[in-house]
Amino acid sequence: MAICNNRTVIITGAGGGLGRAYALAFAAEGASVVVNDIRLEAAEAVASEVTASGGQAIANNGDITTMAGAQSIIDAAVAAYGEVHVLVNNAGVLRDRMFVSLSEDDWDQVMRVHLKGHFCLANLLGKRWRDAAKAGNKIDARIINTSSGAGLQGSVGQSNYSAAKGGIAALTLVQAAEMGRYGVTANALAP
């Protein structure tokens, strides 16, 4: 029996790179996968790859950086598969420049996608899982955030990215401490 049978996972930034690899790995372990990527064609290609290999997946291009967009992603997952059990916050963006060369937009874009993008879905799903636990349901949910070595040690030319990824590491510690009582684990990867 695959370890993710009867589980639904939302993976952001899953239209390529590590997100694609996560989608394929979760599907191979029996999960139903919501392949989220701002690039719908990329999300559709990965979802097709999953279904061609016998898995279940839907493509989604909802905006992870707004609560309304995040809710639409959750709604699509629940409509397709009934529930969400795992969130993999993987989406990211780079605007690399030396610190004094960064524009306000370079800073804001990276913070919006990384920090706010990691917040919106996790916050809404966290409320959903908390409310279900308080109603007496057994919850076995996961939040998996993507930090980076740059966020743990800094990286020249990436002050915005490093700050965002460091924030994600700290956010994960708080999520783990607060959500464990409801049956939710929170962990961060730092590839």
Side-chain angles (χ1 to χ4, degrees), residues 86-137:
V86 180
L87 169 63
V88 179
N89 277 317
N90 174 70
V93 64
L94 294 173
R95 296 293 183 269
D96 293 351
R97 294 192 187 11
M98 297 301 282
F99 176 71
V100 296
S101 298
L102 282 174
S103 69
E104 183 177 8
D105 186 60
D106 293 333
W107 183 268
D108 289 347
Q109 178 74 354
V110 169
M111 293 302 154
R112 184 172 65 67
V113 173
H114 289 277
L115 276 175
K116 191 169 181 195
H118 276 55
F119 165 78
C120 292
L121 275 165
N123 178 265
L124 291 170
L125 285 169
K127 288 176 186 171
R128 180 182 183 88
W129 294 328
R130 177 202 62 197
D131 293 348
K134 285 185 171 186
N137 298 305

Side-chain angles (χ1 to χ4, degrees), residues 38-90:
I38 195 103
R39 303 163 302 149
L40 183 57
E41 300 80 20
E44 289 171 337
V46 173
S48 293
E49 216 176 328
V50 168
T51 57
S53 66
Q56 293 188 65
I58 60 169
N60 179 283
N61 69 336
D63 184 355
I64 64 168
T65 68
T66 69
M67 295 304 264
Q71 187 62 60
S72 75
I73 298 164
I74 295 167
D75 291 346
V78 171
Y81 303 118
E83 190 50 79
V84 178
H85 306 95
V86 180
L87 169 63
V88 179
N89 277 317
N90 174 70

